[in-house]
Amino acid sequence: MERTIFEDRICGEGIEKGVPFVEIDNIGDFSVAKTFDCGQSFRFEPIGPDEYAGVAYGRYVSFEQTGKGTVIIHGSTKEEYDTVWRTYLGFDRDYEQINRDILSRSDNPALQAAVDCGNGIHILRQEAWETVCSFIISQNNNIPRIKKIVAALSEKYGEPLGNGYYAFPTADALYNAGESGIFELKTGFRAKYIFDAAKRIKEGHLDLSQLEGDTETCLGKLVEVKGIGNKVAMCSLLFGFGHLDAFPIDVWIRRVTEKYFPANFKPEDLGPYAGVAQQYLFYYERFLGGDQKKM
DNA sequence: TGCCAGGGCGCCG
DNA sequence: CGGCGCCATGGC
């Protein structure tokens, strides 16, 4: 695979207790802890100093920060790195250039502070259906409970990976579970929303793999689903579809923008990477609020 | 106990 | 359009 954009490099590989691993260096300021602690993924937990483990793309892996600019991916071969984890971790993006672009859009000191604070966060390229479903679950909910529900759905309706872990259930599996089978797992009023989304996919009215066009066009298609509003759709596009200009607005973002930005502020002002800036601002506001332990 | 949690819907003016 | 009550559930 060509690496003309960013100089990440496989600098080691091997097998440890029967589990393959790869070591990557030249990954700049990427931070495993910040990336998996900033509220974009609900399936990873810390299992050691600077190491987060979980399931994505039907595989159990852990990401271990072994130093500045280096990470070991436990549970991945070289081939899986190139085909899955490189994109997932955002190593195909140049975050130095992204940060420069964001800062060039505004001289707001709060934006500079947020970039400094959030620097190292990468926007994960998560699985589309899992992202949509997870952010439907996120509405009027808190992160620990979102994680519990996602784990419960996976254990009950997801494919077993043979090691005690489970893939996130397919739309088909959740359709077959039915609204009551989804409600059973404490999803509450969100059960009908999840089921509606699964049903639309099952019946061919929504194809997440064919969600093409600019961010506004994709947004319009997602919002057709009952239970997906602007915020959930924006989160899906940002974290599951690679739309780095998608700018989800929740209470934290509303708070931080009203505090530091002029009243006529618009997300587009921050350019094509406004979504990355949004994540920095989100992390910045919650971190300074002393609320990071709830993540 | 009451309030909040990475909201959205339906209804009302 | 803009505001508001409601929706399930658990943690504080």
Side-chain angles (χ1 to χ4, degrees):
Chain A
M1 172 176 285
E2 288 190 36
R3 297 200 171 80
T4 56
I5 298 177
F6 198 71
E7 298 302 321
D8 65 305
R9 188 176 64 120
I10 297 173
C11 63
E13 62 169 322
I15 295 179
E16 188 181 46
K17 294 175 185 170
V19 179
F21 69 88
V22 287
E23 183 170 15
I24 316 297
D25 67 4
N26 282 337
I27 52 172
D29 291 335
F30 172 72
S31 164
V32 169
K34 286 188 192 178
T35 296
F36 287 94
D37 224 20
C38 72
Q40 60 174 317
S41 162
F42 303 109
R43 293 215 75 190
F44 281 79
E45 297 293 342
I47 61 167
D50 286 324
E51 182 171 4
Y52 283 71
V55 176
Y57 290 91
R59 300 164 172 87
Y60 174 77
V61 284
S62 73
F63 303 104
E64 180 187 8
Q65 185 107 39
T66 51
K68 183 172 163 49
T70 62
V71 62
I72 289 178
I73 307 175
H74 300 273
S76 172
T77 62
K78 277 171 63 175
E79 290 69 27
E80 287 172 320
Y81 175 70
D82 277 335
T83 56
V84 180
W85 305 120
R86 183 168 189 259
T87 307
Y88 177 74
L89 294 171
F91 290 165
D92 55 341
R93 312 263 197 186
D94 183 348
Y95 272 81
E96 284 186 28
Q97 186 264 322
I98 288 173
N99 289 353
R100 277 197 303 274
D101 188 286
I102 291 169
L103 290 172
S104 76
R105 309 281 165 176
S106 160
D107 57 1
N108 190 319
L111 183 63
Q112 176 74 60
V115 172
D116 290 341
C117 176
N119 183 38
I121 294 174
H122 281 196
I123 301 299
L124 297 169
R125 178 62 182 263
Q126 304 182 59
E127 292 173 86
W129 165 244
E130 174 176 342
T131 309
V132 169
C133 200
S134 295
F135 279 93
I136 290 175
I137 294 166
S138 81
Q139 66 177 265
N140 202 28
N141 213 340
N142 58 64
I143 291 173
R145 206 167 79 91
I146 297 164
K147 286 183 171 179
K148 279 186 187 174
I149 292 172
V150 170
L153 282 173
S154 300
E155 282 177 33
K156 180 100 179 181
Y157 302 115
E159 201 67 30
L161 303 180
N163 49 7
Y165 296 94
Y166 296 83
F168 189 83
T170 62
D172 240 43
L174 290 181
Y175 176 83
N176 291 333
E179 189 181 321
S180 61
I182 298 168
F183 185 84
E184 227 169 64
L185 300 181
K186 314 297 184 186
T187 50
F189 61 86
R190 308 163 191 84
K192 56 183 175 295
Y193 300 155
I194 298 167
F195 182 72
D196 182 57
K199 185 179 174 188
R200 278 173 181 272
I201 290 173
K202 172 81 173 179
E203 294 178 347
H205 298 129
L206 177 65
D207 185 352
L208 297 180
S209 71
Q210 304 267 326
L211 207 60
E212 293 167 354
D214 57 70
T215 299
E216 279 304 317
T217 305
C218 294
L219 187 80
K221 292 177 185 173
L222 282 177
V223 167
E224 286 177 17
V225 181
K226 180 169 296 198
I228 298 184
N230 196 274
K231 194 271 176 182
V232 168
M234 285 292 194
C235 282
S236 302
L237 292 173
L238 180 59
F239 303 127
F241 294 85
H243 288 253
L244 296 193
D245 59 329
F247 196 95
I249 299 175
D250 69 344
V251 288
W252 296 95
I253 292 297
R254 194 172 298 282
R255 195 173 303 161
V256 72
T257 53
E258 284 178 357
K259 204 190 311 187
Y260 299 116
F261 288 74
N264 61 353
F265 164 77
K266 294 194 176 358
E268 308 90 85
D269 297 343
L270 295 180
Y273 305 111
V276 181
Q278 177 274 155
Q279 201 60 20
Y280 292 154
L281 288 163
F282 179 77
Y283 186 77
Y284 175 65
E285 183 66 9
R286 294 198 65 163
F287 185 79
L288 289 189
D291 209 21
Q292 73 275 27
K293 293 303 172 195
K294 295 181 183 175
M295 304 296 261

